[in-house]
Amino acid sequence: MASPSSLLDAAAAEGNVFLGQGPELEQQRREVLAGLRAEPKSIHCKYLYDERGSQIFDRICELEEYYPTRTELAIMEEHGAAMAEHLGPRVLLVEFGAGSTVKVRHLLDHLEDPVAFAPVDISHDHLVKAASRLAVEYPTLEVLPVSADYTEDFELPQHEEGRTVVYFPGSTVGNFSPTERHDLLDRIATIAGPGGGLLIGVDLRKSRAVLEAAYDDAEGVTAEFNYNLLRRFNRELDADFDRDAFDYEALWNPDDGRVEMYLVSRRAQTVTIDEERIELAAGERILTEHSYKFRVEDFAADAALSGFRLVEVWTDPSQLFSVQYYALDDPTRPGSP
């Protein structure tokens, strides 16, 4: 029997699978340097997800403190059939930030004759492995993995005609600023097209204690997730970050309604990236990620600006997390060209 990877290689050779390489190193270098030159300093959270970062995030999802994954999984297990009914037959399901493709199985198990499944992820190697496993587990399903940055325009592989629904699980939409979130929802509306839909995980507001523990666990796995970012830049961008020269912290910002994650310089230091020097003061923070938390009505109002109409919300008994389904009746947005 052929290995999963060789099955995908063969499909790629036939033009049925698109596997790009995500952001080019030069683009990565430009974006990282721009963020570190800014005041305050920041790094886009997408760079947390190289192959090792994706593996560490999988560990985060198993932590006791990290409620989003197990809560969303429970919602998917209980309501997956109802969600699939909303998606309808002959659907092309496009998953943003597919990762290990664990949650989507609760949809795939119930979908009626899906056209194909297109997992999209920035971590090329992680995506290939996950898509390979999925292709074996669902032998009648056409799996079309796309290695791309979904915050930028990308093309879907060639596929049969069908209604398109974008699936965006997790709390990742909270990583986007309000302006970025609007741009992302516009991009999703363009991909889904008239009559399409969006099934999305949306984290809800809750106590500071629960939120800060979720993003700064006792085992230090989330801290390691952030330190891996420094190792990645040393390896890929010819940088000289000293992992031991930084602390990690996560804070709830009630004014902006978001958790903020930082790498904090323990001392005054100079970091070099591709011969460019970046000065850091003692105690200076580098924002690596922020995660907005929402009220259902607020997120629905945001989505409406991109033409989405809220159809259904599923949540857990403690109202920690929600999965929301939106229909795209008219993709024309106010102010759109």
Side-chain angles (χ1 to χ4, degrees), residues 15-32:
N16 296 326
V17 177
F18 177 77
L19 290 171
Q21 293 296 327
E24 297 292 339
L25 279 179
E26 185 53 40
Q27 175 186 343
Q28 179 181 341
R29 183 178 290 105
R30 288 196 304 269
E31 291 182 354
V32 170

Side-chain angles (χ1 to χ4, degrees), residues 12-225:
E14 295 172 3
N16 296 326
V17 177
F18 177 77
L19 290 171
Q21 293 296 327
E24 297 292 339
L25 279 179
E26 185 53 40
Q27 175 186 343
Q28 179 181 341
R29 183 178 290 105
R30 288 196 304 269
E31 291 182 354
V32 170
L33 284 172
L36 292 177
R37 292 188 197 112
E39 295 296 338
K41 292 177 171 58
S42 65
I43 296 170
H44 199 290
C45 63
K46 66 186 177 184
Y47 291 117
L48 290 162
Y49 295 92
D50 62 352
E51 183 176 14
R52 185 167 185 270
S54 296
Q55 292 169 349
I56 297 172
F57 184 72
D58 287 345
R59 289 172 55 202
I60 290 172
C61 293
E62 298 173 355
L63 295 170
E64 181 179 352
E65 299 98 325
Y66 195 73
Y67 64 86
T69 301
R70 65 173 178 273
T71 306
E72 185 178 20
L73 273 171
I75 295 170
M76 297 297 297
E77 288 171 2
E78 183 174 355
H79 301 289
M83 295 175 190
E85 187 173 343
H86 277 290
L87 270 57
R90 299 296 296 162
V91 66
L92 168 67
L93 187 63
V94 181
E95 181 176 3
F96 276 24
S100 299
T101 66
V102 172
K103 296 168 189 170
V104 75
R105 286 164 166 78
H106 296 290
L107 284 176
L108 297 178
D109 288 342
H110 298 286
L111 287 179
E112 181 183 346
D113 192 23
V115 168
F117 172 57
V120 183
D121 203 278
I122 196 171
S123 178
H124 178 272
D125 293 340
H126 198 66
L127 173 68
V128 171
K129 292 175 183 177
S132 298
R133 291 192 298 268
L134 203 69
V136 171
E137 293 175 30
Y138 294 85
T140 63
L141 176 68
E142 186 171 26
V143 180
L144 306 173
V146 181
S147 177
D149 176 1
Y150 56 73
T151 67
E152 306 287 344
D153 291 335
F154 65 90
E155 293 184 8
L156 289 172
Q158 189 173 10
H159 57 82
E160 295 180 30
E161 290 298 319
R163 179 169 174 269
T164 301
V165 174
V166 173
Y167 176 46
F168 195 15
S171 55
T172 310
V173 71
N175 296 148
F176 295 83
S177 69
T179 299
E180 293 170 335
R181 188 160 60 246
H182 179 64
D183 290 344
L184 178 69
L185 289 168
D186 275 356
R187 180 169 289 106
I188 291 173
T190 299
I191 291 171
L198 167 64
L199 184 68
I200 186 167
V202 179
D203 202 3
L204 304 177
R205 295 231 181 160
K206 55 192 70 67
S207 73
R208 174 192 292 267
V210 170
L211 287 167
E212 291 187 351
Y215 291 87
D216 192 5
D217 60 279
E219 293 182 37
V221 180
T222 312
E224 181 59 28
F225 182 50

Side-chain angles (χ1 to χ4, degrees), residues 122-332:
I122 196 171
S123 178
H124 178 272
D125 293 340
H126 198 66
L127 173 68
V128 171
K129 292 175 183 177
S132 298
R133 291 192 298 268
L134 203 69
V136 171
E137 293 175 30
Y138 294 85
T140 63
L141 176 68
E142 186 171 26
V143 180
L144 306 173
V146 181
S147 177
D149 176 1
Y150 56 73
T151 67
E152 306 287 344
D153 291 335
F154 65 90
E155 293 184 8
L156 289 172
Q158 189 173 10
H159 57 82
E160 295 180 30
E161 290 298 319
R163 179 169 174 269
T164 301
V165 174
V166 173
Y167 176 46
F168 195 15
S171 55
T172 310
V173 71
N175 296 148
F176 295 83
S177 69
T179 299
E180 293 170 335
R181 188 160 60 246
H182 179 64
D183 290 344
L184 178 69
L185 289 168
D186 275 356
R187 180 169 289 106
I188 291 173
T190 299
I191 291 171
L198 167 64
L199 184 68
I200 186 167
V202 179
D203 202 3
L204 304 177
R205 295 231 181 160
K206 55 192 70 67
S207 73
R208 174 192 292 267
V210 170
L211 287 167
E212 291 187 351
Y215 291 87
D216 192 5
D217 60 279
E219 293 182 37
V221 180
T222 312
E224 181 59 28
F225 182 50
N226 280 260
Y227 294 138
N228 181 64
L229 189 65
L230 305 181
R231 297 188 183 95
R232 176 181 186 177
F233 293 158
N234 287 351
R235 182 179 66 252
E236 297 181 2
L237 301 182
D238 194 25
D240 60 358
F241 284 98
D242 178 1
R243 173 255 181 270
D244 293 330
F246 291 88
D247 289 319
Y248 168 75
E249 67 178 9
L251 304 169
W252 167 245
N253 179 338
D255 294 333
D256 291 334
R258 68 186 197 180
V259 180
E260 297 171 350
M261 286 142 280
Y262 295 98
L263 287 169
V264 185
S265 181
R266 291 181 175 177
R267 52 176 169 78
Q269 58 179 305
T270 302
V271 174
T272 302
I273 299 179
D274 195 25
E275 300 184 357
E276 180 157 346
R277 295 163 62 88
I278 303 294
E279 303 293 334
L280 288 162
E284 187 169 5
R285 293 170 169 172
I286 303 173
L287 179 70
T288 59
E289 187 175 354
H290 51 63
S291 185
Y292 286 86
K293 308 303 172 185
F294 302 92
R295 301 178 183 90
V296 170
E297 61 271 22
D298 294 338
F299 189 83
D302 279 356
L305 296 175
S306 297
F308 288 105
R309 172 177 55 86
L310 180 61
V311 176
E312 186 66 83
V313 178
W314 298 272
T315 188
D316 60 285
S318 299
Q319 302 284 300
L320 294 173
F321 198 90
S322 67
V323 179
Q324 305 182 13
Y325 179 69
Y326 290 83
L328 187 63
D329 299 322
D330 182 354
T332 302

